């Protein structure tokens, strides 16, 4: 497995793979890998001849006061894990490589998709995500790119960008990978102390409870939302950022659940802001 830090190097690696007729899969990450990331990589290995992952803590998707500086980083550990699942190359650029001085171009996916959920609590977040993913696509030119359903809104933003800008990349979405007790895997879970981690189980358990209510016939979105809020508020360590239900994949407001709906939430425990979701 090779590790590249410059755009010129990864481009040369991609060029050589293309000469051999290899298909290319890209898994964009911010590193500090866990089993969720590895699942994306294994899926990419199944479908593509060459798998490249990017490890880049993208400054433009963090807002002021967020955890850009403290975001966990460990390239040696990540490299060993990626190699273990057969990744061919890691692209790990410095911030200045991606955003050199004078950098001025950003991609804004329209507000209908980006103004709600995480876009509401993290203004500019999806602008940063769309911009860096577009740049990674231009640098690596993958046939397929792999994303986790844990970031459901991110997947919708990227699919919209690909369609609107006629990008030739297939998106593969991988279901959320969880710890044995249901907690969605996240690099930010390392911020949790044992009490907070225990309290954070309320996220997946409340989503499952909501899904069970829908299966049992409940269709009133406000009631389901309130149920989830009440279950999470029962944990004194939880500070709710949002709990919302929208139609899926259109993200329109819903009163009564008819087709598919996205129940998504963001909740803070100490300095960890965790997200999770389920399709109802
Ligand atoms: P991140 O490093 O957090 O930016 O995540 C990189 C990619 O891994 C994104 O497409 C995430 O949606 C995906 N991902 C992160 N956590 C999980 C998880 N628990 N299950 C599945 N995919 C995940």
């Amino acid at each position: 497995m090779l590790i590249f830090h410059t755009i010129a190097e990864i481009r040369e690696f991609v060029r050589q793979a293309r000469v051999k007729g290899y298909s290319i899969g890209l898994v964009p990450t911010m590193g500090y890998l866990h089993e969720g990331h590895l699942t994306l990589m294994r899926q990419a290995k199944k479908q593509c001849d060459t798998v490249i992952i990017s490890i880049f803590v993208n400054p433009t998707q963090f807002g002021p006061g967020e955890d850009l500086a403290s975001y966990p980083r460990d390239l040696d550990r990540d490299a060993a894990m990626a190699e273990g699942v057969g990744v061919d190359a890691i692209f790990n650029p410095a911030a200045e490589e991606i955003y050199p001085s004078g950098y001025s171009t950003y991609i804004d996916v329209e507000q209908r998709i980006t103004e709600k959920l995480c876009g509401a609590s993290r203004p500019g977040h999806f602008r940063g995500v769309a911009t860096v993913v577009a740049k990674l696509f231009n640098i690596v030119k993958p046939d397929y790119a792999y994303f986790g359903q844990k970031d459901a809104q991110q997947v919708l933003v990227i699919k919209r960008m690909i369609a609107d800008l006629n990008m030739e990349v297939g998106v593969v979405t991988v279901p959320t990978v969880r710890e044995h007790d249901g907690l969605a895997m996240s690099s930010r879970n390392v911020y949790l102390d044992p009490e907070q981690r225990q309290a954070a189980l309320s996220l997946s358990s409340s989503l499952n409870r909501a899904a069970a209510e829908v299966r049992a016939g409940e269709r009133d979105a406000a009631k389901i939302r309130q149920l989830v809020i009440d279950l999470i508020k029962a944990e004194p360590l939880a500070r709710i950022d949002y709990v919302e239900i929208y139609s899926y994949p259109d993200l329109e407001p819903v009163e009564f659940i008819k087709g598919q709906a996205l129940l998504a939430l963001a909740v803070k425990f100490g300095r960890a802001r965790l997200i999770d979701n389920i399709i109802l």
Side-chain angles (χ1 to χ4, degrees):
M1 192 190 66
L2 298 163
I3 302 180
F4 301 112
H5 300 288
T6 68
I7 294 167
E9 287 168 329
I10 191 74
R11 281 208 157 131
E12 177 56 22
F13 177 79
V14 168
R15 195 190 63 75
Q16 288 176 21
R18 286 289 180 208
V19 168
K20 294 179 196 143
Y22 291 170
S23 60
I24 293 174
L26 172 68
V27 183
T29 83
M30 298 205 300
Y32 213 70
L33 302 180
H34 53 65
E35 191 57 33
H37 297 116
L38 297 183
T39 305
L40 269 63
M41 294 171 205
R42 287 193 199 97
Q43 184 69 29
K45 278 300 281 185
K46 273 192 212 152
Q47 295 176 318
C48 304
D49 300 316
T50 300
V51 172
I52 298 170
I53 73 165
S54 56
I55 296 181
F56 180 58
V57 184
N58 175 35
T60 62
Q61 71 188 67
F62 287 78
E66 292 187 358
D67 57 345
L68 172 62
S70 61
Y71 196 86
R73 293 163 169 90
D74 189 340
L75 184 60
D76 291 342
R77 172 180 172 278
D78 288 350
M81 291 170 78
E83 187 156 34
V85 295
V87 165
D88 297 283
I90 295 179
F91 178 47
N92 173 231
E96 308 77 58
E97 181 75 0
I98 299 297
Y99 303 109
S101 93
Y103 188 87
S104 312
T105 306
Y106 294 88
I107 292 183
D108 265 311
V109 174
E110 73 171 23
Q111 293 189 351
R112 187 178 59 76
I113 306 177
T114 54
E115 74 187 353
K116 51 196 69 154
L117 303 170
C118 285
S121 36
R122 304 183 71 188
H125 171 68
F126 288 115
R127 183 180 194 246
V129 168
T131 300
V132 80
V133 170
K135 285 172 68 72
L136 291 169
F137 286 175
N138 282 335
I139 293 164
V140 173
K141 300 203 175 65
D143 299 284
Y144 294 96
Y146 296 79
F147 296 93
Q149 182 63 16
K150 193 185 81 116
D151 297 84
Q153 190 179 14
Q154 169 169 281
V155 174
L156 296 176
V157 168
I158 287 162
K159 283 186 173 170
R160 189 75 250 167
M161 173 185 78
I162 289 172
D164 290 353
L165 297 181
N166 311 100
M167 294 173 162
E168 282 195 280
V169 185
V171 167
V172 180
T173 310
V174 174
T176 302
V177 178
R178 298 177 179 282
E179 303 283 357
H180 64 281
D181 54 8
L183 180 67
M185 290 196 180
S186 165
S187 306
R188 292 188 167 99
N189 288 350
V190 296
Y191 298 151
L192 299 169
D193 69 24
E195 284 85 351
Q196 291 163 344
R197 197 197 170 293
Q198 185 61 32
L201 295 179
S202 61
L203 305 190
S204 54
S205 64
S206 64
L207 293 178
N208 289 333
R209 178 74 194 283
E213 294 292 324
V214 172
R215 277 198 300 277
E218 181 61 68
R219 291 291 178 269
D220 186 330
K223 273 195 194 159
I224 296 164
R225 176 173 178 269
Q226 195 56 50
L227 169 72
V228 173
I229 290 173
D230 291 343
L231 287 168
I232 295 173
K233 278 196 170 159
E235 291 292 345
L237 295 177
R239 285 173 293 131
I240 293 178
D241 183 344
Y242 66 77
V243 175
E244 301 287 355
I245 300 178
Y246 286 102
S247 68
Y248 183 81
D250 300 330
L251 297 190
E252 299 293 349
V254 278
E255 241 179 275
F256 291 96
I257 295 168
K258 289 185 220 117
Q260 284 195 319
L262 173 70
L263 166 55
L265 51 78
V267 180
K268 287 183 186 159
F269 297 88
R271 66 193 191 97
R273 178 182 177 279
L274 305 183
I275 59 171
D276 202 347
N277 70 78
I278 197 166
I279 306 291
L280 302 172

